[in-house]
Amino acid sequence: MASLARLRLSRKLPLRGVRAIQTSADTTQLQTKPEGDHTPFKVKLHEDSFSSYRCDVPELEVEVTKDQLLTMYKQMQLVRRMEMAADALYKAKLIRGFCHLAIGQEAVSVGLEHGILPNDRVITAYRCHPFAVLRGGTVTGVLAELLGRQSGMSQGKGGSMHIFTPSFFGGNGIVGAQVPIGAGVAFAQKYMEEQHATFALYGDGASNQGQVFEAYNMGGEAYDDQAKLWNLPTIFVCENNKYGMGTSAERSSSNTEYFKRGDTIPGLQVNGMDIIASLQAVKYARKWAVEEQKGPLLLEFVTYRYGGHSMSDPGTTYRTREEVQRMRSTKDPIRGLQTYIEEWGLATEQELKQLDKDAKAEVDAAVQEAKASPEPEAKDLWTDIYYKGTEPPVMRGREREEVHPFPSFPRVIADKRLLV
C-alpha cells in the first residue's frame, strides 16, 4: 500500500523542464488604447496560455473590441444565472432526474461561440445548457425543458440532455457517444463541400472511451500525408474540468495531457479560464480545419466546475471546499473578464452591475414563463418520433397487433401488411 501511495504521489509531481499551462483568468495585458465601441484594439495573452503538440501555438497578440467584450460579459452572466436558477429549481424538486450544470466553465462556451460562425456545428455531452442558448435557443426554452413543459426546446419531452437547435446537435447522455456523431456531422459537411467545421466536445471523464479514439482514427490522418484517412473538419474539444464525476484526472488517466492523445492529430492545450485565450484558440482551430484544410485538431480547455458532477453530487467528497473557494476567488472567468473591462476603461463597475441586474431579471422572467407553461399531453407521446415530413403511415405499439396511425393518417390501420 505504501508503494501504491508513493506511485500516486509521483504522478502528481510536475515534470522537470515542462511549463504548466496558465489557468488564471486575468493575465492578459492591454497593448493599444481602445477607441470606440467597434474599433479593434490589441491585447496580449500570457505566454503560457497555450501548449501545443505537432502544431504551432496561436498568436499571443489578439484583436478585440469593446462591444465584443461587453457582449461576452453579458452572455457569461446570463448563462451562469440560468444555471443558478436550474440549481434552485432542482433543489425545490421542480426539476427531476439528471441535471449537470456548467457554473465555472463559461469561458469555454461563450469563447467558443464567438470564435465560430452560425453554420458551424457544435455537439457536446450533458453539460449542455449554455451551448443551447448560445446556438440559437432561449433561456426560457432551456428551463422549460428542464421542468418538462411544452415551451421547452424539445417540447418538454427531452430533458436536460436532449436539447437541440439547427446548429447544435445536443446534449447527449451516453458518455463519449457524441464524439463519433460529431465526426459524422463533419463527414457530412465535407461530403456536401461546406466550408464549416464541427466542434465535438467531451469531458476528461469521457477521454478514455474507446469510441473517442475510434473517432480520432476515422477523422484523422496518418503520418504519411499520402495515406490520409477521412481528414475531416472536426475539432475534438476536451473540457478538462479536472474531475470525471468524482474521480480526479490523475487517478483515471495515465496521460493527463489530453491534447496529446490524438496520436497523429495535432493538439492544443488552452487556458479555459481566460475567455480571450479561449476565443483565440477556437479561431485558430477553425482556421486550421476550414480555411487551411489541415483536417482535425484536438483542443483541451483546462477549466473548472464549481458544483458537483450533477445535482446529486455535493462535489466535496473528492475535493476540499477550500479548493473550490480558491478557484472561485482567484480564477473565476467572469471576474477575470470584469477586471479587463474595468482596467481597460471599457465600462465602469456600476455599468457592469447593471448588466448583472439585467441578466438576473431576464432569467427570473424566464423561470416564471417556464413554470407557467403546461406539461405535455398524452397525445404528444406519438409526436416527434420521426423528423417532420418523414413519418411512415403507422407505428407499431407494444405488440405487433397494436398499430397506431400518425396524426397525419387518422384512419385506423388493421392490415399489418401496411407496417413499414
Side-chain angles (χ1 to χ4, degrees), residues 75-362:
Q75 290 175 333
M76 291 172 79
Q77 283 286 6
L78 182 67
V79 296
R80 178 171 291 187
R81 288 284 183 182
M82 176 185 68
E83 296 287 65
M84 291 168 63
D87 178 281
L89 290 168
Y90 195 97
K91 290 174 179 175
K93 297 185 178 180
L94 294 174
I95 295 176
R96 300 283 186 162
F98 294 102
C99 185
H100 306 80
L101 306 180
I103 299 173
Q105 300 182 205
E106 295 85 1
V108 176
S109 56
V110 177
L112 175 70
E113 180 60 29
H114 282 260
I116 62 178
L117 298 182
N119 286 329
D120 290 324
R121 303 290 190 263
V122 176
I123 185 169
T124 188
Y126 28 73
R127 219 173 297 281
C128 64
H129 310 150
F131 296 100
V133 172
L134 296 166
R135 288 269 84 193
T138 65
V139 175
T140 299
V142 170
L143 293 177
E145 189 59 39
L146 297 180
L147 290 166
R149 306 302 174 93
Q150 288 184 23
S151 60
M153 290 178 63
S154 295
Q155 291 77 54
K157 296 184 289 183
S160 175
M161 302 182 228
H162 300 91
I163 304 176
F164 312 90
T165 75
S167 61
F168 177 60
F169 285 61
N172 293 267
I174 299 176
V175 177
Q178 73 279 5
V179 180
I181 295 175
V185 174
F187 179 88
Q189 289 174 313
K190 185 171 184 177
Y191 184 83
M192 300 297 290
E193 298 183 349
E194 297 180 7
Q195 296 301 305
H196 300 291
T198 294
F199 288 74
L201 293 95
Y202 57 98
D204 52 290
S207 64
N208 297 316
Q209 289 281 319
Q211 56 197 329
V212 173
F213 291 92
E214 291 173 3
Y216 289 167
N217 182 59
M218 291 186 291
E221 60 180 349
Y223 282 107
D224 183 355
D225 287 340
Q226 302 303 314
K228 290 185 178 180
L229 297 181
W230 291 353
N231 206 36
L232 301 176
T234 315
I235 309 302
F236 298 104
V237 183
C238 177
E239 287 187 275
N240 177 12
N241 60 21
K242 310 295 182 68
Y243 298 94
M245 295 189 71
T247 305
S248 66
E250 290 81 7
R251 292 184 59 212
S252 66
S253 302
S254 61
N255 178 9
T256 57
E257 293 183 305
Y258 298 104
F259 69 109
K260 294 182 179 180
R261 285 180 158 212
D263 190 13
T264 64
I265 299 176
L268 186 69
Q269 189 180 50
V270 186
N271 175 6
M273 303 304 281
D274 188 323
I275 193 166
I276 298 178
S278 296
L279 170 66
Q280 182 73 339
V282 172
K283 286 184 174 179
Y284 175 91
R286 190 186 187 281
K287 181 179 179 182
W288 174 283
V290 179
E291 298 176 25
E292 299 175 350
Q293 297 186 355
K294 293 182 179 179
L297 186 71
L298 205 165
L299 290 184
E300 176 196 347
F301 287 105
V302 182
T303 182
Y304 197 84
R305 57 169 164 82
Y306 297 155
H309 170 72
S310 69
M311 287 299 300
S312 61
D313 169 24
T316 54
T317 57
Y318 47 87
R319 58 183 181 177
T320 64
R321 296 182 186 275
E322 290 74 21
E323 176 186 313
V324 178
Q325 184 56 39
R326 183 175 67 253
M327 293 297 295
R328 279 183 177 272
S329 61
T330 64
K331 298 187 178 183
D332 182 76
I334 297 179
R335 186 173 297 180
L337 180 55
Q338 177 184 349
T339 299
Y340 294 152
I341 291 172
E342 292 180 4
E343 290 186 353
W344 299 344
L346 306 179
T348 65
E349 181 180 358
Q350 290 70 29
E351 290 171 330
L352 292 181
K353 284 183 177 179
Q354 184 58 51
L355 294 180
D356 300 347
K357 291 179 180 179
D358 294 343
K360 183 179 184 302
E362 181 176 345

